[in-house]
Amino acid sequence: MLRLAEILLEPRAAPSWSQLRQIGVEEAVGVLPRAFVDWRAHAPEQPWDYGPLALYRQQVEDAGFRLTVLEDNPPMDRLRLGLPGRDEELEHVLELLRNMGRLGIEVLCYNWMAVVSWSRTSTALGGRGGADVTGFDLSVWDDAPAAPGAPVDEELLWETLDWFLERAVPVAEEAGVRLALHPDDPPLSPMRGIGRIIRTLDAYDRVFALQPSLVNGMTFCQGNLALVTDDLPAAIRRFGSAGRIHFVHFRDVRGTPERFVETFVDEGPTDMAACIRAYLEAGVDAPLRTDHSPTLSGDTATVPGYPTLGRLHAVGYVQGLLEAAGNRGPSTE
């Protein structure tokens, strides 16, 4: 069963939280609770420690949600690059997994994009009716210098991912937490001299072969993967039936990996209803959230792609698709 969840980006309860709960969203995707860390204490806790996570989960529950996904992580670039200090970074991630298990937080969404994270070159392109949409154009970076630490070879990243999964998967299994690896955004390599490896469907087959445990799964980000396959429903059935889809980002884009724009969830080239049917046919049981919504006139987005009105429109659209496909909606309590 697909369960509609939405990301709560604010450090404390905000009006958008109430609006999302009022329209029927019951699950929440959270970020690390940095606002709950008391740096005045003699031995300050980190945001991945139990205390801050427990306070954050309680706040989310007080707002009427169940916190089921964390889409954030401690620093991991030394892990990704195999640099001195990676053992300390690994221990922070393992501590996060253990604490998530203790608190009943089911899924950790993480990525293997070293140095250069997810990237957009524009955040206010003109979309339908003049709505602001985000986009990417590789040519903007034609004269950009190499990123710090470049060059980074792709095979190094495969080696470090293997090293990480060998140590993280057993801890995730014991904690009852599923690992959901997000694809590279955009799916290009290299980016400013930094290799990228999670940018094809076949790359995920290699990831799952590294550690066959079913806790080793993926975030099926439709916007990224629509840029690398012409048949998104088939990809959903492929990985969903294998039990590898642990989290879904429901969005659409128009263009190519080198140049694309985000679209409203109802206007892009992808058959979104067919995608929903594919998840259900494959037996996917995972949280799904909308992603990178356009900003409507009169609205604001503190984080580009996460406005209030655009997200409400996207949620309503997804609810309609889920209901039409027989995936029953939330309660009315």
Side-chain angles (χ1 to χ4, degrees):
M1 181 176 181
L2 292 174
R3 292 131 44 202
L4 188 59
E6 279 298 312
I7 191 165
L8 307 178
L9 293 171
E10 302 84 358
R12 305 281 180 178
S16 61
W17 292 27
S18 298
Q19 292 167 332
L20 289 169
R21 188 64 193 91
Q22 288 161 7
I23 64 172
V25 177
E26 295 182 336
E27 295 191 23
V29 179
V31 294
L32 285 178
R34 293 171 178 85
F36 288 83
V37 175
D38 186 358
W39 294 106
R40 298 166 299 176
H42 178 68
E45 292 182 288
Q46 298 288 353
W48 50 84
D49 287 336
Y50 182 85
L53 278 176
L55 291 174
Y56 179 60
R57 186 198 62 171
Q58 187 61 49
Q59 175 181 272
V60 170
E61 289 185 354
D62 288 346
F65 301 97
R66 186 164 68 93
L67 182 62
T68 51
V69 182
L70 282 184
E71 195 166 336
D72 198 358
N73 49 258
M76 292 179 65
D77 262 355
R78 293 183 181 276
L79 266 171
R80 297 182 182 111
L81 297 173
L83 296 175
R86 72 172 180 175
D87 293 280
E88 182 179 3
E89 288 193 347
L90 172 68
E91 186 50 45
H92 294 162
V93 176
L94 300 185
E95 184 63 18
L96 172 62
L97 291 173
R98 296 184 188 104
N99 289 329
M100 288 175 64
R102 292 172 65 189
L103 292 166
I105 306 170
E106 303 169 8
V107 178
L108 175 64
C109 175
Y110 73 106
N111 68 75
W112 214 248
M113 291 179 279
V115 184
V116 182
S117 188
W118 77 279
S119 301
R120 296 294 182 270
T121 55
S122 299
T123 59
L125 297 173
R128 185 174 66 190
D132 287 342
V133 298
T134 62
F136 179 81
D137 185 348
L138 183 61
S139 67
V140 173
W141 282 0
D142 280 349
D143 298 320
V152 172
D153 185 73
E154 291 184 19
E155 280 307 308
L156 170 66
L157 296 173
W158 280 114
E159 292 169 8
T160 58
L161 179 58
D162 186 14
W163 188 90
F164 169 72
L165 289 174
E166 182 181 359
R167 290 156 178 79
V169 165
V171 175
E173 287 180 325
E174 184 176 356
V177 176
R178 290 176 289 169
L179 298 170
L181 178 58
H182 192 287
D184 298 334
D185 185 2
L188 294 171
S189 182
M191 291 284 283
R192 296 184 59 196
I194 307 295
R196 292 192 169 198
I197 58 174
I198 312 301
R199 53 188 174 81
T200 67
L201 298 180
D202 290 344
Y204 276 105
D205 291 324
R206 184 172 175 179
V207 170
F208 304 145
L210 293 175
Q211 288 291 325
S213 169
L214 287 180
V215 306
N216 180 25
M218 68 190 300
T219 294
F220 198 97
C221 181
Q222 292 190 188
N224 292 123
L225 297 178
L227 294 172
V228 301
T229 178
D230 294 328
D231 194 343
L232 209 56
I236 292 168
R237 287 189 289 268
R238 169 181 167 183
F239 293 112
S241 61
R244 297 293 183 176
I245 299 178
H246 296 337
F247 185 33
V248 176
H249 283 181
F250 201 76
R251 65 182 176 94
D252 205 7
V253 297
R254 181 181 292 111
T256 66
E258 294 78 14
R259 187 176 183 181
F260 62 85
V261 296
E262 310 272 4
T263 71
F264 281 93
V265 73
D266 64 331
E267 64 156 347
T270 302
D271 186 338
M272 304 297 260
C275 290
I276 290 292
R277 293 193 297 269
Y279 289 118
L280 301 182
E281 291 165 4
V284 173
D285 182 6
L288 174 153
R289 78 165 177 85
T290 64
D291 198 17
H292 299 189
S293 298
T295 301
L296 278 61
S297 298
D299 198 8
T300 58
T302 303
V303 178
Y306 297 93
T308 297
L309 298 179
R311 291 174 71 192
L312 294 179
H313 164 262
V315 170
Y317 181 78
V318 173
Q319 288 172 321
L321 293 181
L322 291 171
E323 185 72 13
N327 194 99
R328 297 300 300 175
S331 70
T332 57
E333 295 180 0

